[in-house]
Amino acid sequence: MSLSALLAAAVAGLTVTSAFAAPQRVWIDTDAACGAVGRVDPDDCFAIAALARNTDIEIVGVSTVFGNADIETTDTISRALAFEIARETGQLLEVYRGAGTPFSPSVVRETDATQALARALEEGPLTLVALGPLTNLADLFSARPDLVDNVTNAVAVMGKREGHAFHPAEGATGGVLFGHGPLFRDFNLCEDTEAARLLATLDVAVTLLPYELARQVEITSQDLAALAASTGAVSWVAERSTAWLAFWQRDVGRDGFYPFDLLAAEYLATPDRFDCALEPARIATDRKSYGALMPQTGLLVGDAQAAATYNVTYCTRYLGGTLSLLDGLAATPDHSPL
């Protein structure tokens, strides 16, 4: 399925907010790094741009965190994206700087991000959209566990089934490493496992959007060209996505990439287009995916007999089918789920 179609799904039918229902209050926690030097994905930026166009969503605030890049970079890029969104929509997104290093259970850390998120939660229920490591959330809730009561849902881009390796070149041409291209890891979890461990102790609803879901949607070179030729914040993001696309073309062997974090925006807009179920989950070492010599800690979902510590809503399939393209974008062929 093309990016154009996916973004259309995130905003289709949502141009007029119902007079009888207030917009959903959303807080975005992000390690946005589109356009940064190095092998950095633009998915956070696409997700934020899509959420900003959704008039059924009120973005109460944006907090930044290390992850895809250092905190200086993610904070600077998030503010630049917020400026582009303001130019396009008139919507002023407040951006708050958060953690630059992982969570430590022995350290009480207060940042602009935790202070602002605490105020927002005190004002009323929020849906938290975590596009990066969960550090800012752990910093806040370790000090203020009472605020968890106002979390409607924590939507996070992470999670996996034991034995499932993240190798994006599967089914593609090209890719040379070990015969199937580069191997990815459950990045947001691995960047701060202790933060995820803290969140697992809290009584909060969690929805996980994992790799196995993201690989059902692809942003192709045609999609990116169409988006870059459009206007607004989405065009700004697309122009900063060429290096990431080049990495996938060269090293993965695909003429496109999986937009992991963008699916969080789509989930908030149209949750009925996702096949999700309540599953047991635990943080443990996965020795099956990459072999005994390369064990990785993961947020492992499924297998009720394996000492699960809590339950999560785990989404495994995108059911969107063929979707309309965003107005003003050049038509490109839709891609069937892989």
Side-chain angles (χ1 to χ4, degrees), residues 32 68 87 92 117 145 191 193 207 213 251 266 270 273 277 292:
N68 282 325
R87 290 179 58 189
L92 299 176
L117 179 53
E191 284 292 285
T193 303
T207 298
L213 174 71
D251 292 3
E266 167 68 357
T270 55
R273 291 193 171 111

Side-chain angles (χ1 to χ4, degrees), residues 103-179:
F103 170 70
S104 172
S106 63
V107 176
V108 177
R109 176 168 54 183
E110 190 173 68
T111 62
D112 289 346
T114 59
Q115 291 176 337
L117 179 53
R119 291 193 298 269
L121 284 166
E122 288 169 346
E123 292 171 0
L126 274 179
T127 295
L128 306 181
V129 181
L131 304 178
L134 302 179
T135 313
N136 287 331
L137 307 188
D139 279 343
L140 173 60
F141 294 130
S142 64
R144 294 287 309 275
D146 57 297
L147 292 177
V148 169
D149 291 342
N150 267 353
V151 177
T152 304
N153 191 7
V155 179
V157 183
M158 62 175 61
K160 61 175 293 186
R161 297 192 185 278
E162 188 172 11
H164 183 199
F166 294 1
H167 48 95
E170 183 180 17
T173 59
V176 294
L177 183 63
F178 304 128

Side-chain angles (χ1 to χ4, degrees), residues 84 227 231 241 294:
E84 295 298 325
L227 290 166
T231 59
S241 304
M294 299 175 60

Side-chain angles (χ1 to χ4, degrees), residues 57-259:
I57 287 174
E58 174 194 358
I59 300 176
V60 177
V62 176
S63 51
T64 58
V65 67
F66 77 98
N68 282 325
D70 60 80
I71 187 62
E72 293 287 349
T73 300
T74 62
D75 194 72
T76 298
I77 289 175
S78 295
R79 293 176 190 277
L81 176 56
F83 176 76
E84 295 298 325
I85 289 170
R87 290 179 58 189
E88 176 188 2
T89 68
Q91 179 180 183
L92 299 176
L93 299 186
E94 297 290 342
V95 178
Y96 302 93
R97 178 169 169 149
T101 56
F103 170 70
S104 172
S106 63
V107 176
V108 177
R109 176 168 54 183
E110 190 173 68
T111 62
D112 289 346
T114 59
Q115 291 176 337
L117 179 53
R119 291 193 298 269
L121 284 166
E122 288 169 346
E123 292 171 0
L126 274 179
T127 295
L128 306 181
V129 181
L131 304 178
L134 302 179
T135 313
N136 287 331
L137 307 188
D139 279 343
L140 173 60
F141 294 130
S142 64
R144 294 287 309 275
D146 57 297
L147 292 177
V148 169
D149 291 342
N150 267 353
V151 177
T152 304
N153 191 7
V155 179
V157 183
M158 62 175 61
K160 61 175 293 186
R161 297 192 185 278
E162 188 172 11
H164 183 199
F166 294 1
H167 48 95
E170 183 180 17
T173 59
V176 294
L177 183 63
F178 304 128
H180 52 58
L183 297 174
F184 288 179
R185 57 194 175 119
D186 195 0
F187 183 82
N188 292 338
L189 183 282
C190 293
E191 284 292 285
D192 196 343
T193 303
E194 289 305 313
R197 205 181 302 277
L198 184 280
L199 267 290
T201 68
L202 304 176
D203 184 18
V204 59
V206 173
T207 298
L208 299 182
L209 306 175
Y211 171 91
E212 65 180 290
L213 174 71
R215 70 179 301 272
Q216 297 169 36
V217 180
E218 187 171 34
I219 301 175
T220 69
S221 59
Q222 286 182 306
D223 296 325
L224 211 56
L227 290 166
S230 67
T231 59
V234 170
S235 173
W236 184 88
V237 176
E239 291 172 353
R240 285 155 180 78
S241 304
T242 54
W244 183 243
L245 174 63
F247 159 69
W248 279 68
Q249 290 172 325
R250 181 185 65 250
D251 292 3
V252 178
R254 307 194 71 89
D255 187 33
F257 54 87
Y258 304 145

